Amino acid sequence: MSRIRLMIVDDHEVVRLGMRAAFELEPDIAVVGEASNGAEALSKMSVLAPQLILMDVRMEKMSGIEACREIKSQYPDTAILMITSYADDEAVLASMLAGASGYLLKNLSRAELLRAIRLVASGQSLLDPAKVKQATTRLIALTAGGIQSHLPGS
């Protein structure tokens, strides 16, 4: 059985340590490294070669969304699962557009987090249908507003 090669990216050391401890108990998950921000994660990609990145959305230096966009452009086969404390429609939309495979809130259980990691590592997407609908509706409204403002006579 091949193990899921996971990188944890979060600006809070205690969060990274807690996640690492939870994953080390799992025989199918190997934490290959950690980073405290998006720029550090990007710089470690070629050495660590993670299959999946569990990435915080809001971090200093380079946000998770910016890092997701950069990583997906350079390493398109790497799956990225965004995790945050904030239920923010704009962050969900930005994460989707950046190429994230999923978006989770940090208040989930260990079992839910493990399920999400395994699901995304298997090539599936993990986005809450209600959040996708909200984000899609917002994108349509923004697009329509942008198009409307560029029409003659607007």
Side-chain angles (χ1 to χ4, degrees):
M1 160 175 72
S2 72
R3 298 176 79 192
I4 299 166
R5 296 179 49 79
L6 177 71
M7 182 191 324
I8 302 167
V9 184
D10 196 292
D11 55 343
H12 294 100
E13 181 182 25
V14 72
V15 172
R16 292 192 313 270
L17 292 173
M19 287 184 189
R20 179 181 279 275
F23 300 138
E24 285 178 346
L25 300 172
E26 300 302 312
D28 62 331
I29 298 174
V31 177
V32 295
E34 300 175 12
S36 61
N37 61 62
E40 184 181 351
L42 188 58
S43 73
K44 292 181 173 185
M45 284 298 296
S46 63
V47 174
L48 299 177
Q51 173 187 356
L52 188 146
I53 300 171
L54 184 60
M55 180 141 30
D56 190 11
V57 172
R58 297 179 184 187
M59 296 177 289
E60 295 292 321
K61 293 187 183 177
M62 180 186 276
S63 76
I65 294 168
E66 292 170 293
C68 180
R69 188 177 306 110
E70 286 295 317
I71 290 167
K72 291 301 285 185
S73 73
Q74 295 177 38
Y75 304 91
D77 294 335
T78 302
I80 300 176
L81 186 54
M82 306 301 283
I83 189 164
T84 186
S85 299
Y86 309 98
D88 176 357
D89 290 346
E90 288 185 20
V92 173
L93 176 59
S95 296
M96 289 169 44
L97 293 174
S101 299
Y103 190 96
L104 302 168
L105 293 177
K106 287 182 179 176
N107 65 352
L108 76 170
S109 71
R110 180 178 179 276
E112 291 169 322
L113 180 57
L114 290 170
R115 179 186 155 281
I117 285 172
R118 290 178 177 121
L119 191 72
V120 170
S122 74
Q124 297 182 51
S125 177
L126 181 76
L127 291 165
D128 178 349
K131 284 288 184 194
V132 172
K133 184 174 184 195
Q134 284 176 316
T136 304
T137 301
R138 180 156 172 72
L139 180 61
I140 290 168
L142 289 171
T143 304
I147 291 170
Q148 188 67 32
S149 65
H150 291 92
L151 291 176
S154 296

